[in-house]
Amino acid sequence: MIKHSSLSKAALLIAVLLMPVTLYSTQSASDVNISGSIAPDKIKKGRVVKARVVMDIPQGLHVQSNKPLDKFLIATKLDVETPSGMTVGPIVYPRAVMRDLKFSKSKVAVYEGRTSITFPVTVPANYSGGSGEIKGKLRFQACNDESCFPPVTREVKMWLNVE
C-alpha cells in the first residue's frame, strides 16, 4: 500500500518537473512587444525624419524574417500609412539570423531579441497640418523551437509634430 505522503511527494515532483514545459508552451505571438518612434519627433516642413518600429521578441521565440527561406513560412511585413502629402521611403528590415529549429529540416531565417525596422518619412514643404499620425501595420509569424504560431498583424502609431 502506498502512503499518502509518498503519493503527495511524487505528485509534487511531477508538477515541478513539468512546470518549465508548461511555461515554455504558453508563449505565443502576443508575447512579442511592438513599439514605434520617430526621431526627431518635431520637424520643419520640407525635411525627412527617421521612423523606427521595434519588435521585442522574448527568449524562446523567433519571428520569421522579411524573406523566409521556406515558402510555407509567413514573411514579416510592415505597411505604413501617413497623412496626406507625407511620403514614406524604402522600409529597411534587419539582417536575419540563421537558425536550425526542430520544425524545419533546413535553416530558418529569423529575427530574435530586439529587432528594428526603419524607414524615412518626408514632410513636404507645402504640408498644411501641424502634426501627423504615422500608422504602421506589422504582420509577422512567431515561432518557438518546435512549431510556428498563426501570423498576426499589430498596429503601432507614431506622432510627428510639424513646424
Side-chain angles (χ1 to χ4, degrees):
M1 182 172 203
I2 299 175
K3 291 183 178 179
H4 179 68
S5 64
S6 297
L7 191 57
S8 299
K9 287 179 184 176
L12 180 61
L13 178 62
I14 290 170
V16 169
L17 290 174
L18 291 178
M19 191 177 336
V21 172
T22 303
L23 291 174
Y24 181 75
S25 65
T26 61
Q27 283 186 315
S28 70
S30 63
D31 293 321
V32 177
N33 291 316
I34 308 296
S35 61
S37 63
I38 297 177
D41 62 356
K42 192 171 194 177
I43 186 173
K44 294 182 185 287
K45 294 177 184 178
R47 299 285 174 100
V48 178
V49 294
K50 185 176 187 177
R52 176 181 315 273
V53 173
V54 176
M55 300 172 63
D56 282 310
I57 306 162
Q59 188 171 353
L61 288 181
H62 317 278
V63 168
Q64 296 302 318
S65 75
N66 65 310
K67 294 180 181 175
L69 303 177
D70 186 324
K71 66 181 178 179
F72 297 107
L73 299 173
I74 307 298
T76 294
K77 183 170 183 353
L78 178 65
D79 290 314
V80 181
E81 296 174 15
T82 60
S84 182
M86 289 187 192
T87 57
V88 174
I91 295 173
V92 179
Y93 294 89
R95 175 176 282 152
V97 177
M98 303 304 290
R99 292 283 183 237
D100 289 311
L101 301 176
K102 290 179 184 175
F103 68 82
S104 178
K105 292 178 182 172
S106 57
K107 288 199 179 284
V108 181
V110 297
Y111 300 135
E112 298 177 332
R114 179 167 269 214
T115 301
S116 294
I117 301 168
T118 60
F119 55 93
V121 177
T122 302
V123 178
N126 63 352
Y127 185 73
S128 60
S131 66
E133 181 183 62
I134 314 298
K135 189 186 311 182
K137 289 185 180 177
L138 183 65
R139 183 170 193 245
F140 64 93
Q141 182 178 35
C143 304
N144 60 27
D145 192 34
E146 309 263 330
S147 61
C148 288
F149 302 104
V152 295
T153 300
R154 296 267 195 70
E155 190 172 278
V156 61
K157 295 178 182 180
M158 300 162 273
W159 281 94
L160 180 59
N161 295 308
V162 181
E163 297 178 326

